[in-house]
């Protein structure tokens, strides 16, 4: 079947060694894929992606406004990671380029790390291991507990928090949680009435909130002292949530029996950079270098998720999951035999654009069999499935509308 644009001419450039599962998916879609194992910058980056229709990066490659200016054919960007800070989203939006990411593919990995820490802290595992590495045989049950029957407090009952809830109950723990949104408690979990209520009732507290104004510094000295004496605290969320000096004090004076910390207010950006934290050297404290979501399985899931979103956008126009443009979830085109054309139009969201589009359709006597519209801030995205007869002329009229940013047609 003839398609609007030969799939083999769609150039996809993947940088930073994204997991091969995503590369495979893009290749299977028939696109022309080139892979760069490292991150690129400056002229080398522009040379590599300047003619690409789709670019996939991880967190190191910086897609600044200047870089994006050189990518005239760019249709979409995929961030094969959770964040999108490395892309100038305003510049991408102005160019009608959706930016996709994969925020939840590592949920299970964080939940599993958390589970391992809950047990490790209850058994003082790292301290015991360190003692033995140092030649000290200290066999005793003192300070060791089963987790069965103990109460786990979860702060933030989103993707990760709720997953931890299910796993913890499977091990016989009681779960109580606090979330600012109303959340359905899974299994036998109970809703705590406040942050304070959860802190004061739990034997171990784990934090799974995002970084925002309400969570910055949410656990300081006052909150730590509300926790039960001898309880444990885990932070695999964001470094700004816990006041680490206060935590160190509470660990040193024994009020908190142990902690696990994966995220820090300042994290080294390069591998060789030294790590410094007030938590270093504290008894029964597990420190990990922001690896909660870092597993081979998560990398694979991220790659498949991000690549899938890119392929779907190129083939159908669906922007589901894009962080910077209106999300429109689209069905396959009504008729794959070539009778329906799909026109995709990003435009500035000002009153009257849709009127102009409908006026053009009426003048050209275009029959519209499907229409999907979403707006988000300054951006509008309209998708029209039309009869093929006047589709090309209709597309040109849409391109000519003053507010249009980018128009593409699929058939
Ligand atoms: P999510 O968005 O699914 O869930 C977050 C939950 O926190 C939501 O239910 C929200 O309503 C709740 N929340 C927001 N503000 C709150 C407040 N002030 N008090 C109580 N609840 C509040 O996010 P997800 O995927 O569960 O991630 C949670 C955290 O884990 C994020 O900070 C994320 O950045 C971090 N993370 C860390 C990783 C690591 O490698 N350590 C990997 C992946 C995520």
């Amino acid at each position: 079947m003839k398609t609007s644009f030969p799939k083999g001419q769609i150039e996809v450039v993947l940088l930073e060694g994204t997991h091969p599962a995503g590369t495979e998916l893009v290749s299977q879609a028939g696109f022309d894929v080139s892979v760069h194992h490292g991150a690129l910058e400056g002229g080398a980056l522009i040379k590599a992606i300047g003619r690409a229709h789709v670019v996939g990066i991880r967190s190191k490659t910086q897609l600044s406004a200047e870089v994006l200016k050189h990518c005239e054919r760019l249709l979409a960007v995929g961030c094969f990671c959770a964040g999108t800070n490395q892309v100038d989203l305003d510049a991408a939006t102005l160019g009608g380029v959706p930016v996709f990411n994969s925020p939840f593919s590592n949920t299970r990995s964080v939940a599993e790390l958390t589970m391992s820490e809950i047990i490790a802290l209850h058994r003082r595992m790292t301290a015991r291991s360190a003692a033995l590495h140092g030649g000290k045989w200290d066999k005793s049950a003192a300070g060791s507990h089963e987790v069965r029957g103990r109460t786990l407090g979860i702060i933030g009952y989103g993707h990760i928090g709720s997953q931890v809830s299910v796993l913890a109950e499977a091990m016989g723990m009681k779960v109580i949680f606090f979330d600012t949104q109303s959340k359905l408690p899974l299994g036998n979990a109970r809703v705590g009435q406040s942050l304070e209520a959860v802190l004061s009732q739990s034997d171990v507290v784990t934090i799974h909130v995002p970084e925002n104004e309400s969570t910055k510094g949410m656990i300081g000295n006052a909150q730590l002292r509300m926790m039960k004496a001898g309880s444990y605290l885990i932070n695999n969320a964001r470094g700004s949530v816990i006041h680490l000096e206060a935590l160190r004090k509470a660990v040193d004076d024994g009020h908190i029996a142990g902690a696990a910390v994966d995220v820090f207010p300042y994290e080294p950006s390069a591998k060789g950079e030294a790590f410094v934290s007030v938590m270093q050297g504290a008894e029964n404290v597990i420190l990990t270098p922001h690896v909660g979501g870092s597993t081979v399985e998560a990398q694979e899931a991220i790659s498949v998720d991000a690549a899938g979103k890119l392929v779907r956008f190129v083939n159908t126009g669906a922007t589901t999951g894009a962080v910077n443009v209106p999300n429109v979830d689209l069905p396959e085109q009504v008729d794959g035999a070539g009778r329906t054309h799909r026109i995709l139009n990003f435009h500035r969201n000002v009153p009257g654009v849709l009127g102009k589009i409908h006026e053009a359709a009426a003048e050209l006597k275009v029959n519209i069999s499907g229409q999907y519209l979403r707006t988000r801030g300054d951006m509008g995205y309209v998708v029209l499935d039309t009869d093929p007869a006047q589709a090309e002329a209709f597309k040109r009229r849409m391109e000519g509308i003053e507010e249009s940013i980018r128009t593409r047609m699929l058939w």
Side-chain angles (χ1 to χ4, degrees):
M1 188 183 76
K2 189 173 175 296
T3 54
S4 37
F5 196 84
K7 300 256 186 261
Q9 285 179 26
I10 293 180
E11 291 184 28
V12 180
V13 179
L14 300 177
L15 296 131
E16 299 187 56
T18 54
H19 191 282
T23 316
E24 174 86 24
L25 206 147
V26 177
S27 296
Q28 274 172 5
F31 302 164
D32 174 22
V33 193
S34 28
V35 171
H36 294 257
H37 287 287
L40 297 173
E41 55 183 5
L45 176 60
I46 291 170
K47 188 160 175 253
I49 67 172
R51 290 188 56 73
H53 295 97
V54 175
V55 170
I57 57 172
R58 288 171 70 189
S59 50
K60 282 204 190 108
T61 306
Q62 300 296 313
L63 296 184
S64 62
E66 179 59 27
V67 170
L68 291 171
K69 210 169 71 188
H70 289 86
C71 303
E72 282 180 8
R73 307 205 300 182
L74 193 60
L75 294 176
V77 168
C79 295
F80 286 53
C81 53
T84 53
N85 290 346
Q86 68 281 41
V87 182
D88 187 323
L89 293 179
D90 289 341
T93 309
L94 281 174
V97 175
V99 177
F100 298 93
N101 63 342
S102 184
F104 305 121
S105 298
N106 56 10
T107 296
R108 175 70 187 208
S109 299
V110 183
E112 287 193 12
L113 180 72
T114 305
M115 295 315 299
S116 74
E117 290 167 341
I118 291 172
I119 298 178
L121 290 171
H122 277 82
R123 303 299 288 270
R124 306 184 71 78
M125 199 139 74
T126 48
R128 290 222 153 88
S129 173
L132 218 54
H133 277 286
K136 194 168 159 223
W137 184 266
D138 176 18
K139 180 175 158 64
S140 101
S144 281
H145 301 276
E146 288 186 354
V147 300
R148 178 171 48 169
R150 294 206 137 210
T151 299
L152 171 67
I154 301 175
I155 312 297
Y157 203 70
H159 288 81
I160 299 171
S162 56
Q163 182 88 206
V164 169
S165 173
V166 171
L167 297 175
E169 281 202 340
M171 291 204 310
M173 298 190 81
K174 296 175 194 145
V175 174
I176 180 168
F177 70 85
F178 173 68
D179 197 295
T180 41
Q181 305 282 317
S182 167
K183 297 279 173 169
L184 177 74
L186 300 179
N188 300 312
R190 287 177 299 126
V191 182
Q193 289 318 306
S194 61
L195 173 65
E196 291 73 19
V198 171
L199 293 175
S200 63
Q201 291 175 39
S202 305
D203 298 303
V204 50
V205 171
T206 184
I207 298 173
H208 301 290
V209 294
E211 181 175 76
N212 62 31
E213 280 316 308
S214 75
T215 63
K216 270 191 198 158
M218 93 192 283
I219 307 288
N221 187 53
Q223 290 71 27
L224 289 165
R225 300 294 155 180
M226 282 171 201
M227 290 176 64
K228 281 187 185 177
S231 60
Y232 307 94
L233 180 62
I234 299 172
N235 183 15
N236 292 332
R238 280 294 174 261
S240 57
V241 175
I242 295 187
H243 196 273
L244 285 184
E245 281 76 14
L247 176 60
R248 175 71 199 241
K249 250 193 214 140
V251 169
D252 283 351
D253 67 28
H255 180 69
I256 298 295
V261 187
D262 187 47
V263 286
F264 301 86
Y266 175 77
E267 298 177 359
S269 53
K271 244 187 191 164
E273 190 184 334
F275 168 73
V276 180
S277 168
V278 66
M279 298 310 293
Q280 285 167 309
E283 173 86 6
N284 201 26
V285 169
I286 301 169
L287 301 181
T288 46
H290 203 147
V291 290
S294 304
T295 61
V296 174
E297 288 76 10
Q299 285 306 317
E300 180 172 350
I302 284 169
S303 192
V304 168
D305 184 39
K309 286 171 181 165
L310 291 170
V311 170
R312 221 172 141 231
F313 172 68
V314 173
N315 284 345
T316 72
T319 48
T320 319
V323 300
N324 63 327
V325 300
N327 278 205
V328 175
D329 192 17
L330 293 164
E332 293 291 321
Q333 269 161 270
V334 181
D335 189 337
R339 283 210 299 276
T340 308
H341 282 39
R342 175 169 286 176
I343 303 173
L344 319 161
N345 170 269
F346 287 111
H347 56 264
R348 282 189 287 118
N349 179 26
V350 293
V353 176
L354 218 52
K356 291 181 191 175
I357 290 172
H358 288 157
E359 215 170 276
E363 276 174 30
L364 292 167
K365 299 197 171 28
V366 172
N367 182 38
I368 297 175
S369 55
Q371 174 172 308
Y372 315 88
L373 168 77
R374 265 277 162 84
T375 60
R376 172 178 176 155
D378 294 339
M379 165 74 88
Y381 185 39
V382 65
V383 179
L384 301 162
D385 286 343
T386 74
D387 282 349
Q390 290 286 17
E392 189 58 51
F394 187 34
K395 179 196 167 220
R396 279 200 299 275
R397 283 285 294 270
M398 285 174 74
E399 277 172 331
I401 291 171
E402 193 193 336
E403 294 84 0
S404 274
I405 295 172
R406 184 166 216 165
T407 307
R408 190 160 71 96
M409 188 158 75
L410 301 171
W411 69 88

